[in-house]
Amino acid sequence: APLAASTSQFSTDEKLTPKEAVTTYNNFYEFGTGKGDPSEKSQHFKPLPWSVKVDGMVGKPKEFGIEELMKMQLEERVYRLRCVEGWSMVIPWIGFPLSVLLDQVEPLGSAKYVSFETVVRPEEMPGQTGLFQPLEWPYIEGLRLDEARHPLTILAVGLYGETLPNQNGAPIRLVVPWKYGFKSIKSIVKISLVEEQPETTWKNSNAREYGFYSNVNPEVDHPRWSQATEQRIGEGGFFKVANRPTLMFNGYGEEVASLYEGMDLKANY
Amino acid sequence: MAGIPALPRRLHGPSIWALYAIGLVPAAWNFYLGATGGLGVNPVKTFEHLLGIWALRFLIATLAITPLRDVLGLNWLRYRRALGLLAFYYVLMHFSVWLILDRGLDFGSIGADIAKRPYITIGIVCLACLLPLALTSNNWSIRRLGQRWNGLHRLIYPIALGGALHYFLAVKSVTLTPFVHIALVALLLLYRPLRKPFLNWKRGSPRLARASR
């Protein structure tokens, strides 16, 4: 359904990745590990009704209905998205800052991190059934509280002027543009404020390759993929290589570098 | 073996050429799809991965010839050279697409990738090992090298192992498709040390059966 949103100063004016690519080339292992699986196998997923439970170290724990979340002040945010696999897109998300939601539940002083959880519905998500499941479910992710409160961090409920397609994480997902794509957890059912650094799915799966922070960083090499360059989806073709240099913090260094002042980003990858 | 009728001898030659032609269809068809926008939004990666998987499939087929003859009595030895060469052609295409379309001939990063990333190192070593096998895949070399030819061509075993390992290390998580390919390679390699005992048992068993009567 169409979705109205105001513009944002945080949007990039780079050329948008075609909607066709944004909605057919996805990593959403709950629907399968192929890039086309999420768009091909998510038609039975029911994003409505939906609610997001926010609990943990908060003064006012609350379960938000999706209708209430859709009524937040929605903005269009055109962000770069960089996948750890070495490809990137430019996507016009629609959403609201996560900090707006956090303010409503009043985090306690002891809360240091935010953890997130994706829905588990094997009957609607074919990647969650069968003998060879790529990951443990539910998919879990986490941010430091200051990262979660950063104005660039949003909960997205739409893209390209419409509500989120199932394959992109309907009905509500996280978008953290300076981190590799897998940090931007999809189809969220639970957000908890916690004291200790939360576990995260990919770190649990392979801690040597995926760290808690997972900030886009061309200088920290991934054991399998060089992170120095990226392929912009939709710009290359079969005979045209669309490699471009990867920027520190995915080009959001001016906004977020201060979050990591004094930290060794090679150790905290 | 009943079931599969023997091919008339005069068709042996043409059937081998047909195998070459059919074997190159996946590469040609997907090249056409890629060039006309039919391989999705990341055609380079898709094409590259397809070529790699087909290379492994032809390696598996090459390794299957001997057990098929031992176990099922199918003599398809005449196709083994074509299957092995098809595997080599696919590895070569897989490598070229990576070099030219994926890495854009950026030799600095290519060298670093080969040195640093075990799955790429393994891939390159396998390609290097395939080269002498492909170059000696002709009757003249077989005559010329004699017993040494057999020794040289046993390289196919470490190459198949390396190919499976390359695939295993390249995927983010092992799902059904990689598992099946890797398991087939493992099975076919495990058969080799068991082959002699198996053939002895097979030859001996009718006699044993008679003796026990």
Side-chain angles (χ1 to χ4, degrees):
Chain A
L3 209 55
S6 58
T7 56
S8 165
Q9 49 157 348
F10 292 117
S11 285
T12 168
D13 52 11
E14 281 173 69
K15 190 166 160 273
L16 298 183
T17 301
K19 187 179 173 187
E20 157 84 7
V22 174
T23 56
T24 59
Y25 193 78
N26 308 97
N27 278 329
F28 195 172
Y29 280 14
E30 280 81 346
F31 293 110
T33 54
K35 294 285 184 289
D37 286 340
S39 60
E40 287 161 21
K41 298 178 182 170
S42 64
Q43 69 273 28
H44 298 301
F45 182 72
K46 296 185 197 75
L48 294 173
W50 197 272
S51 63
V52 181
K53 193 173 167 188
V54 188
D55 63 8
M57 297 173 156
V58 294
K60 292 183 178 168
K62 184 177 171 181
E63 188 151 347
F64 291 85
I66 191 69
E67 300 75 17
E68 188 179 351
L69 295 168
M70 304 294 285
K71 275 189 214 124
M72 300 270 193
Q73 178 104 45
L74 298 181
E75 289 175 29
E76 180 173 76
R77 299 274 183 108
V78 183
Y79 282 163
R80 290 177 290 275
L81 174 117
R82 170 62 156 80
C83 178
V84 72
E85 295 165 353
W87 51 267
S88 64
M89 295 183 177
V90 178
I91 304 174
W93 301 106
I94 295 172
F96 57 90
L98 174 60
S99 64
V100 172
L101 181 127
L102 294 177
D103 286 343
Q104 292 195 13
V105 296
E106 298 176 5
L108 303 177
S110 50
K112 297 280 179 290
Y113 294 90
V114 185
S115 76
F116 304 84
E117 200 176 301
T118 296
V119 74
V120 180
R121 284 190 198 163
E123 63 285 1
E124 294 175 25
M125 303 175 117
Q128 289 180 335
T129 59
L131 216 53
F132 288 89
Q133 298 195 28
L135 295 169
E136 270 182 59
W137 316 116
Y139 193 95
I140 47 175
E141 258 304 337
L143 295 172
R144 230 166 50 190
L145 185 56
D146 57 344
E147 296 175 322
R149 280 193 175 287
H150 193 279
L152 282 174
T153 305
I154 60 165
L155 285 172
V157 293
L159 60 80
Y160 261 105
E162 293 185 28
T163 48
L164 274 184
N166 289 345
Q167 61 269 32
N168 294 86
I172 186 161
R173 64 171 290 168
L174 186 70
V175 178
V176 193
W178 72 91
K179 291 176 181 283
Y180 293 118
F182 65 86
K183 292 293 289 182
S184 293
I185 184 169
K186 304 180 179 86
S187 304
I188 300 169
V189 286
K190 195 170 153 205
I191 299 175
S192 304
L193 283 100
V194 293
E195 194 169 357
E196 306 279 321
Q197 180 176 305
E199 290 184 34
T200 60
T201 292
W202 278 104
K203 191 174 174 220
N204 283 349
S205 155
N206 193 341
R208 203 172 66 88
E209 299 192 4
Y210 309 98
F212 174 78
Y213 285 94
S214 292
N215 292 317
V216 175
N217 188 338
E219 285 149 33
V220 175
D221 220 7
H222 183 276
R224 282 182 286 166
W225 304 291
S226 163
Q227 299 298 19
T229 59
E230 64 199 52
Q231 196 196 355
R232 187 57 63 82
I233 297 293
E235 281 185 11
F238 199 43
F239 300 107
K240 189 171 139 220
V241 181
N243 279 346
R244 57 171 66 214
T246 289
L247 305 173
M248 187 65 202
F249 295 117
N250 202 21
Y252 296 97
E254 216 172 289
E255 290 92 345
V256 303
S258 60
L259 292 172
Y260 309 103
E261 226 163 277
M263 256 176 81
D264 178 0
L265 294 176
K266 284 206 161 74
N268 297 286
Y269 56 95
Chain B
M1 264 316 263
I4 302 179
L7 197 69
R9 184 165 283 278
R10 66 189 160 80
L11 291 180
H12 283 182
S15 73
I16 292 167
W17 289 109
L19 176 59
Y20 277 112
I22 294 165
L24 289 169
V25 165
W29 173 242
N30 285 294
F31 182 83
Y32 165 77
L33 285 181
T36 54
L39 276 190
V41 298
N42 200 347
V44 174
K45 277 277 188 293
T46 308
F47 189 53
E48 182 183 319
H49 295 162
L50 272 166
L51 291 171
I53 287 182
W54 276 102
L56 202 54
R57 284 175 187 162
F58 283 115
L59 267 178
I60 289 170
T62 311
L63 290 178
I65 295 294
T66 298
L68 277 180
R69 190 178 51 166
D70 295 351
V71 180
L72 300 180
L74 277 176
N75 192 352
W76 283 353
L77 210 58
R78 60 181 169 277
Y79 301 118
R80 193 164 65 181
R81 180 191 295 173
L83 291 169
L85 279 170
L86 281 166
F88 170 71
Y89 297 146
Y90 274 88
V91 170
L92 205 59
M93 290 188 279
H94 175 64
F95 173 71
S96 311
V97 169
W98 175 72
L99 205 67
I100 301 163
L101 297 178
D102 187 336
R103 310 298 317 165
L105 294 174
D106 174 2
F107 287 104
S109 85
I110 288 167
D113 267 355
I114 294 173
K116 257 198 307 210
R117 303 183 205 288
Y119 81 99
I120 298 182
T121 318
I122 292 170
I124 297 287
V125 171
C126 286
L127 171 62
C129 291
L130 271 171
L131 216 56
L133 303 200
L135 289 174
T136 56
S137 282
N138 50 70
N139 294 339
W140 182 79
S141 294
I142 294 170
R143 274 197 305 273
R144 189 71 202 263
L145 290 169
Q147 266 311 307
R148 280 174 302 161
W149 189 92
N150 285 321
L152 177 65
H153 280 250
R154 286 205 186 99
L155 265 179
I156 197 70
Y157 304 133
I159 289 169
L161 187 67
L165 201 60
H166 170 80
Y167 190 22
F168 175 76
L169 293 172
V171 291
K172 261 161 105 183
S173 49
V174 177
T175 46
L176 189 61
T177 311
F179 176 82
V180 168
H181 286 83
I182 293 163
L184 280 174
V185 171
L187 207 66
L188 290 168
L189 288 180
L190 276 174
Y191 173 74
R192 265 60 198 188
L194 300 176
R195 187 171 177 231
K196 248 200 182 119
F198 172 74
L199 289 178
N200 284 338
W201 170 80
K202 206 177 158 195
R203 236 176 277 130
S205 58
R207 244 180 303 145
L208 284 176
R210 264 199 308 278
S212 67
R213 205 157 12 160

